[in-house]
Amino acid sequence: MKIMAFGARVDEIPYLQQWAADNAAELAIRTELLDAQTVALAAGYDGINCLQTTPYSAALFAEMGRLGIKFLTIRNVGTDNIDFAAATKAGVRIANTPAYSPNAIAEFAVTLTLHLLRQLGPVEAALQAGDYPKATTFIGRELAQQTVGVVGAGRIGRAAIKLFSGFGARVLAYDPHPVPDPTLACTYVSLSELLQQSDVVDLHVPGVAANTHLIDAQALAQMKPDAVLINTARGNLIDTQALLTALRAGRLGGAGIDTFENESAALLALNQDGYFHDPLWDELAACENVILAPHIAYYTQTAVHNMVYYSLQALVEFLENGHTDTEVAAH
Ligand code: NAD
Ligand code: COI
């Protein structure tokens, strides 16, 4: 069986090589992202493995169909960048890696929350300006005294609920399809109730089209004026212009954004000059009560190892049995 891994990042390559050695597999490792042109590199291969946030387009799937490559496994969770209808039409089946480490992302959401509640942005800015007295003036809020609203109680949301309740916070959750779990210390409420009552609103829903601008001007207007908004899920969930308006008007306490609305390949890898050019990003970065990250919530040693191992295992199952439990289809 011949497999090609696309989009291989420097940090993934040792894991990819180790997996190939562990499994005596013929694995070609490419750093190129997968598209309708680069897929030609996989001619003669049986299956493709990839990690990217750029689109898996209809043209790509048409080419895969033409090359007779029927299986694609992705090394990440989110499938919002996949044209499933085109994949089905081309006879390509896809599996994602749904649980490589929900805790990695949940821990990062908690990290952003604590950073904002303890006002580390203004403290850092005062220190950078050499104003040491000012740096001592930013009084924090304790997580144990807050109400945290988790939107989307899937794998990552549930991991976040466990962490936040472990800190002693009161946790609310909103999910139209809650998974019964008596060990979860949270109360399910409507989205409006959650927005109105929470000091921290933490998003863990997929970036499917129906969720675009789930947090818009109206949703922001329902939130407490000192609430903080955390997004480690997908950039399209928040109307960033409305977020900036609310922050500037003092109608929101802060925001922690790992997944930015205008995220691009340039943000994820940074440009050659190491700078990502986007006016909205720059405006957010100028706010002391905003903490930005370049889509790294997942990025831990455990997660990267599991992304590689679980997704390649799924590809082997597809190729050997025509089936894998993590197969995904259109939403
Ligand atoms: P999951 O499928 O286990 O859970 C998603 C949950 O969201 C489901 O329970 C679903 O019912 C719920 N949901 C969908 N739409 C909703 C809405 N409008 N309101 C409330 N709930 C809604 O997925 P997961 O593993 O928890 O991952 C969630 C998302 O996190 C992924 O889709 C991906 O976009 C993102 N993610 C980000 C990173 C990162 O590094 N920043 C890493 C992994 C995943
Ligand atoms: C995901 O797993 O969906 C992520 O957002 C991680 C990223 C490397 C694509």
Side-chain angles (χ1 to χ4, degrees), residues 100 105 154-156 174-176 205-206 211 232-234 258 295 298:
Y100 52 78
I105 299 96
R155 295 174 186 86
I156 298 170
Y174 168 67
D175 193 312
V205 305
N211 285 338
T232 58
R234 277 296 181 269
D258 178 57
H295 202 146
Y298 77 101

Side-chain angles (χ1 to χ4, degrees), residues 9 51-53 75-78 100 233-234 259 295 298 307:
R9 299 161 52 127
L51 173 63
Q52 65 190 31
T53 50
R75 303 196 284 281
N76 67 302
V77 180
Y100 52 78
R234 277 296 181 269
T259 42
H295 202 146
Y298 77 101
M307 290 161 94

Side-chain angles (χ1 to χ4, degrees), residues 76-80 96-102 104-106 108 150-159 173-179 188 191 194 203-208 210-212 214 231-237 258-259 263 294-299 307 331:
N76 67 302
V77 180
T79 55
D80 45 282
N96 74 342
T97 308
Y100 52 78
S101 181
I105 299 96
F108 201 77
V150 173
V151 183
R155 295 174 186 86
I156 298 170
R158 292 199 298 279
Y174 168 67
D175 193 312
H177 306 289
V179 175
Y188 281 95
L191 181 58
L194 182 151
L203 307 180
H204 295 292
V205 305
V208 293
N211 285 338
T212 294
L214 180 69
N231 185 10
T232 58
R234 277 296 181 269
N236 66 322
L237 301 177
D258 178 57
T259 42
E263 173 183 297
H295 202 146
I296 52 166
Y298 77 101
Y299 194 51
M307 290 161 94
H331 318 286

Side-chain angles (χ1 to χ4, degrees), residues 165-186:
S165 59
F167 273 88
R170 169 183 176 239
V171 183
L172 304 177
Y174 168 67
D175 193 312
H177 306 289
V179 175
D181 180 351
T183 68
L184 272 192
C186 71

Side-chain angles (χ1 to χ4, degrees), residues 299-322:
Y299 194 51
T300 67
Q301 294 170 351
T302 305
V304 175
H305 171 277
N306 292 347
M307 290 161 94
V308 166
Y309 272 67
Y310 296 178
S311 63
L312 286 168
Q313 180 58 32
L315 189 50
V316 169
E317 287 168 10
F318 256 155
L319 290 167
E320 285 183 348
N321 314 325

Side-chain angles (χ1 to χ4, degrees), residues 47-125:
I48 291 178
N49 176 261
C50 189
L51 173 63
Q52 65 190 31
T53 50
T54 49
Y56 294 95
S57 67
L60 162 70
F61 289 120
E63 276 304 296
M64 282 182 70
R66 207 181 56 75
L67 292 168
I69 304 172
K70 294 192 168 8
F71 299 110
L72 166 69
T73 63
I74 62 169
R75 303 196 284 281
N76 67 302
V77 180
T79 55
D80 45 282
N81 53 341
I82 297 176
D83 187 333
F84 279 104
T88 304
K89 190 172 165 208
V92 176
R93 291 167 62 197
I94 301 167
N96 74 342
T97 308
Y100 52 78
S101 181
N103 226 46
I105 299 96
E107 282 186 11
F108 201 77
V110 173
T111 304
L112 296 178
T113 302
L114 290 171
H115 180 104
L116 291 164
L117 292 179
R118 300 309 289 262
Q119 301 203 66
L120 292 180
V123 170
E124 180 70 14

